[in-house]
Structure formats: structure tokens, C-alpha cells
């Protein structure tokens, strides 16, 4: 809008013109920030994609301190994503605040009220895109960008380096500001697009009888399961198909996916681990996951104990096997078994006592639970 439209010194102050002015100003204030940003002069434009596997296709990029940057995010995934740019060293704090929004999260794009947020997109359904303007502060610093949809923020993030020396970035394998899988698996490449696009059948979406942080995984042999990252345990397993999520992509409809198959196993105990005593239930803290031969290996902590959980199809199906690895364990561990009809449970170590598996500290360091449907 040019100044002459607002200068009324040489115009008749008619009531109709005044009403027109109010109407125009009202429209401008109603326009989304992303639309107004398109006409703003910028020093740099950056294009990002949200891609399969809870990843951005660029894990870091550089900008000049004090510059103005337009960032366009395209959601090329089949899940809902957003992107928040936050102040240095505040990513985890903002992610936890978004997780705590609960049922109000979807209505507010999982963007919490926080002075640490510098810019953000809304939630984007698959195929959608949005642009934001990031006015880079004058000081050199590292500004994280992150998806705050539940269970995404621990693994789906990157780093904006505001620096006068863009050639001085650390090697990828030594950069603590980018996701660990990049450092571990793509350290030999300094490419801006380190991820391969072919991924296993893994979907983050709303699932029946589960928290908003659900992760559906389709395995081989027509086996699928729902792992709840909000509570760090397996919810249920089904046979015969995967999911129909077509109703979920009205972004904020909060519809649950439909399971295409028959559930034959349900978790009836909640978080299964007990530490030291049968009645000592720890409060788990989700730490993300890594892909192992096409399957996610979930990681979470219960106190100082790090648990790694890998779920695979069993040799005899319908059935599945959970492989557990526990680190820093020095006390007996109890594992609560769920009550399911028509299934057979096999344990690789320990003894079963009253629907619980008792393991010594040494046995608990690596063991497996196999569950086979007998219907």
C-alpha cells in the first residue's frame, strides 16, 4: 500500500471514503503473514521440503546476520508437518511445550506460546506449502528449525547458521546441531540433501485408542503395529493390511486412521517395564528412533536406563518379535505381559511369574519377547 492512499489532507473526508478505508485496512490485517510476506524484499530465499521418515531435506544452511530470509516449506510427505524457527538452544524446550498442548495442539498448529519462537509455518497437510520471513538477528548464532507435531521434534530438525564465515561450518559427522542419523550414517557426504527418499512403511498420524504421537509401521508378512511415542510402548498389532488415512488430510480434522486388518494383540498393561520391584513403574522419556534394516528401533529412557526396542515380524505369522536392549541396568527388571486370548508368548530369557517376566540385570541387557497368534 503506498502512502498516497493514506494521505487525506487534500481529499474530502466523506463518510463513504472513511468506510472504504476501514474495510481495506480490515482486509490487510486479516491476511495471513505468509501472503503478506510474498511482496517483502528479501536477501535470500531458501526452499525446504518435509520428506518421508520425519526429516527435512536440508539439515542446515547459512544466512548472513541481520539479513532477511524467505523460507518456503513444501510438505512432500504423507504426514502433517510444520516448521518453527527458535532461539539458540531452545529447541527441546519448545518441543516439550508443544507436546504439552494436548487436545489444543491441532487448533493452534502445535505452536506453543513462547518467546523463544522467532517464526513459524502452520501445520501443512501433504502437498501444501507455506512461506515465512525470517528477520535474522544481527549477532552470529545457530538458530534451530523444528517440526513440533507430536513425536517429530526429537528427530525432525535442522540448523540455520547465521555467520559471516559460511565456509567454517563443522563437518556433518561432528555437527551437534543436526540430527544424529545424519552424523552417523551420512558423515562421508557434506551434501545439503543427505537423505535417501526410499523409506519403509512408517506413518505418523492419529490412530485409534492412542495418543496424538502415534507411529504406524507396516512390516513384512502383512503385519502392522501402532507404537505410541507419547507413552513409549506398543499399543497393538494387526494382520492382513495397513491403514487408510485418507480422512486425516483435512489438516485439522483430527480424524483417526482406519486399520485395514484384524487386531490380534493389544497392550493391556500400559508401560510394561518395572525396575527393581514388581510395583515400581518408571516414567519413560521418548528419545526418538533409528532405522535398522528398514525398521524403526525406538529409544527411550526410564531413569538412567536407556531402552532400545526393535519390533520385527516373527517367523511364524500372524506374530511378531520385540528385541530389547537395555543399557546402564544394574537392578532386576520385571516385564508385564498383556492379557490376550489366543496368543502364545515366548521369552528368550528370564522366568515368567504371575504374568510377569522376571529378569536379572544381566539377562535384561538383551532379551526378546515373541508373540504368536493361535487363532
Amino acid at each position: 500500500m503506498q502512502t498516497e492512499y493514506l494521505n487525506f489532507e487534500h481529499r474530502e473526508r466523506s463518510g463513504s471514503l472513511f468506510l472504504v478505508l476501514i474495510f481495506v485496512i480490515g482486509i490487510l490485517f486479516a491476511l495471513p503473514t505468509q501472503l503478506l510476506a510474498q511482496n517483502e524484499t528479501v536477501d535470500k530465499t531458501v526452499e525446504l521440503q518435509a520428506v518421508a521418515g520425519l526429516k527435512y531435506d536440508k539439515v542446515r544452511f547459512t544466512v548472513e546476520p541481520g539479513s532477511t530470509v524467505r523460507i518456503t516449506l513444501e510438505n512432500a510427505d504423507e504426514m502433517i508437518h510444520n516448521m518453527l524457527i527458535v532461539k539458540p538452544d531452545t529447541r527441546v524446550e519448545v518441543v516439550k511445550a508443544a507436546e504439552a498442548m494436548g487436545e489444543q495442539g491441532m487448533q493452534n498448529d502445535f505452536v506453543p506460546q513462547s518467546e523463544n519462537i522467532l517464526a513459524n509455518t502452520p501445520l501443512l497437510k501433504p502437498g501444501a506449502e507455506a512461506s515465512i520471513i525470517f528477520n535474522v538477528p544481527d549477532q552470529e548464532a545457530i538458530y534451530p528449525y523444528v517440526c513440533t507435531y507430536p513425536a517429530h521434534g526429537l528427530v525432525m530438525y535442522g540448523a540455520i547458521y547465521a555467520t559471516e564465515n559460511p565456509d567454517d561450518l563443522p563437518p556433518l559427522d561432528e555437527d551437534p546441531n543436526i540430527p544424529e542419523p545424519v552424523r552417523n550414517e551420512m558423515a562421508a557426504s557434506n551434501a545439503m540433501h543427505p537423505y535417501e527418499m526410499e523409506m519403509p512403511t512408517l506413518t505418523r498420524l492419529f490412530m485409534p485408542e492412542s495418543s496424538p504421537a502415534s507411529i504406524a509401521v507396516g512390516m513384512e508378512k502383512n503385519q502392522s503395529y501402532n507404537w505410541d511415542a507419547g507413552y513409549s510402548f506398543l499399543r497393538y498389532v494387526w494382520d492382513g493390511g495397513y491403514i487408510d488415512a485418507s480422512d486425516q488430510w483435512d489438516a485439522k480434522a483430527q480424524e483417526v486412521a482406519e486399520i485395514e486388518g484384524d487386531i490380534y494383540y493389544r497392550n493391556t498393561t500400559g508401560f510394561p517395564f518395572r525396575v527393581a520391584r514388581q510395583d515400581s513403574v518408571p516414567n519413560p522419556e521418548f528419545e526418538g528412533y533409528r532405522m535398522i534394516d528398514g525398521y524403526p528401533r525406538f529409544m527411550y529412557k526410564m531413569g538412567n536406563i536407556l531402552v532400545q526396542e526393535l519390533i520385527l515380524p516373527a517367523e511364524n505369522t500372524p506374530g511378531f518379535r520385540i528385541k530389547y536392549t537395555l543399557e546402564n541396568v544394574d537392578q532386576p527388571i520385571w516385564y508385564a505381559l498383556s492379557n490376550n486370548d489366543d496368543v502364545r508368548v515366548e521369552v528368550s530369557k528370564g522366568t515368567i511369574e504371575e504374568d510377569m517376566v522376571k529378569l536379572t540385570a544381566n539377562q535384561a541387557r538383551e532379551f526378546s519377547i515373541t508373540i504368536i497368534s493361535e487363532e
Side-chain angles (χ1 to χ4, degrees), residues 131-186:
S131 295
I132 58 175
I133 296 296
F134 177 37
N135 295 309
V136 185
D138 293 331
Q139 65 270 28
E140 291 193 324
I142 302 170
Y143 298 94
Y145 54 95
V146 59
C147 177
T148 54
Y149 195 84
H152 289 200
L154 293 176
V155 294
M156 188 174 181
Y157 60 92
I160 302 174
Y161 279 78
T163 176
E164 302 286 356
N165 302 293
D167 294 330
D168 292 344
L169 270 62
L172 281 173
D173 60 336
E174 299 176 5
D175 191 342
N177 301 296
I178 63 176
E180 187 176 3
V182 179
R183 302 199 302 270
N184 292 342
E185 300 171 19
M186 307 302 295

Side-chain angles (χ1 to χ4, degrees), residues 179-285:
E180 187 176 3
V182 179
R183 302 199 302 270
N184 292 342
E185 300 171 19
M186 307 302 295
S189 169
N190 216 26
M192 292 295 288
H193 296 73
Y195 295 112
E196 295 293 333
M197 296 299 293
E198 291 186 10
M199 303 299 296
T201 308
L202 181 151
T203 313
R204 268 288 297 112
L205 75 180
F206 291 107
M207 293 290 291
E209 305 171 38
S210 190
S211 83
S214 301
I215 301 175
V217 179
M219 303 186 290
E220 298 174 325
K221 302 182 179 181
N222 289 326
Q223 303 294 289
S224 302
Y225 66 85
N226 171 28
W227 205 87
D228 193 334
Y231 295 93
S232 295
F233 61 76
L234 176 69
R235 283 283 183 182
Y236 44 79
V237 185
W238 68 95
D239 173 64
Y242 191 43
I243 53 175
D244 179 359
S246 57
D247 290 337
Q248 290 217 0
W249 306 140
D250 290 331
K252 298 181 183 181
Q254 215 161 340
E255 297 288 340
V256 299
E258 293 184 9
I259 294 172
E260 297 189 336
D262 298 316
I263 296 176
Y264 64 87
Y265 171 84
R266 293 182 183 274
N267 184 323
T268 62
T269 63
F271 188 69
F273 283 102
R274 314 286 187 264
V275 179
R277 304 188 316 273
Q278 287 178 282
D279 59 351
S280 178
V281 184
N283 184 25
E285 183 177 351

Side-chain angles (χ1 to χ4, degrees), residues 2-123:
Q2 299 182 4
T3 306
E4 63 176 292
Y5 295 143
L6 300 179
N7 185 354
F8 286 86
E9 292 182 3
H10 304 294
R11 291 177 171 81
E12 181 180 354
R13 295 176 179 268
S14 68
S16 61
L17 187 57
F18 181 74
L19 291 175
V20 170
L21 174 64
I22 295 299
F23 177 74
V24 171
I25 291 175
I27 291 177
L28 288 176
F29 275 104
L31 286 174
T33 303
Q34 283 77 16
L35 295 180
L36 295 176
Q38 298 303 316
N39 294 322
E40 187 170 340
T41 302
V42 298
D43 301 302
K44 183 174 183 176
T45 298
V46 178
E47 295 183 353
L48 289 176
Q49 283 189 333
V51 298
L54 302 187
K55 297 165 185 174
Y56 295 112
D57 69 332
K58 296 181 178 68
V59 291
R60 66 183 187 183
F61 58 89
T62 62
V63 298
E64 292 186 5
S67 64
T68 300
V69 182
R70 176 183 289 118
I71 303 174
T72 298
L73 175 66
E74 176 191 2
N75 187 1
D77 192 17
E78 60 179 10
M79 311 180 200
I80 297 174
H81 296 293
N82 65 8
M83 183 186 70
L84 281 62
I85 301 173
V86 301
K87 292 180 181 179
D89 302 318
T90 65
R91 175 180 63 85
V92 174
E93 178 183 341
V94 171
V95 167
K96 289 183 177 180
E99 295 271 1
M101 296 176 74
E103 295 182 357
Q104 300 301 314
M106 285 296 287
Q107 287 73 32
N108 295 280
D109 295 303
F110 281 103
V111 179
Q113 293 291 327
S114 173
E115 62 180 9
N116 293 321
I117 300 172
L118 302 176
N120 68 274
T121 72
L123 286 172

Side-chain angles (χ1 to χ4, degrees), residues 275-352:
V275 179
R277 304 188 316 273
Q278 287 178 282
D279 59 351
S280 178
V281 184
N283 184 25
E285 183 177 351
F286 184 54
E287 296 284 316
Y289 64 85
R290 299 178 184 174
M291 301 308 297
I292 305 295
D293 295 328
Y295 291 98
R297 183 171 66 189
F298 302 104
M299 297 175 289
Y300 48 93
K301 286 185 175 179
M302 42 187 195
N304 294 324
I305 300 174
L306 174 64
V307 182
Q308 299 184 65
E309 178 177 333
L310 178 64
I311 303 173
L312 302 169
E315 292 184 7
N316 298 318
T317 57
F320 63 97
R321 179 165 56 103
I322 313 176
K323 298 177 65 176
Y324 288 107
T325 302
L326 277 61
E327 299 179 10
N328 305 320
V329 56
D330 57 6
Q331 301 180 79
I333 296 293
W334 296 80
Y335 185 94
L337 298 173
S338 293
N339 183 17
N340 284 263
D341 296 330
D342 301 318
V343 299
R344 182 177 76 255
V345 178
E346 302 172 357
V347 297
S348 65
K349 296 177 182 176
T351 57
I352 298 179

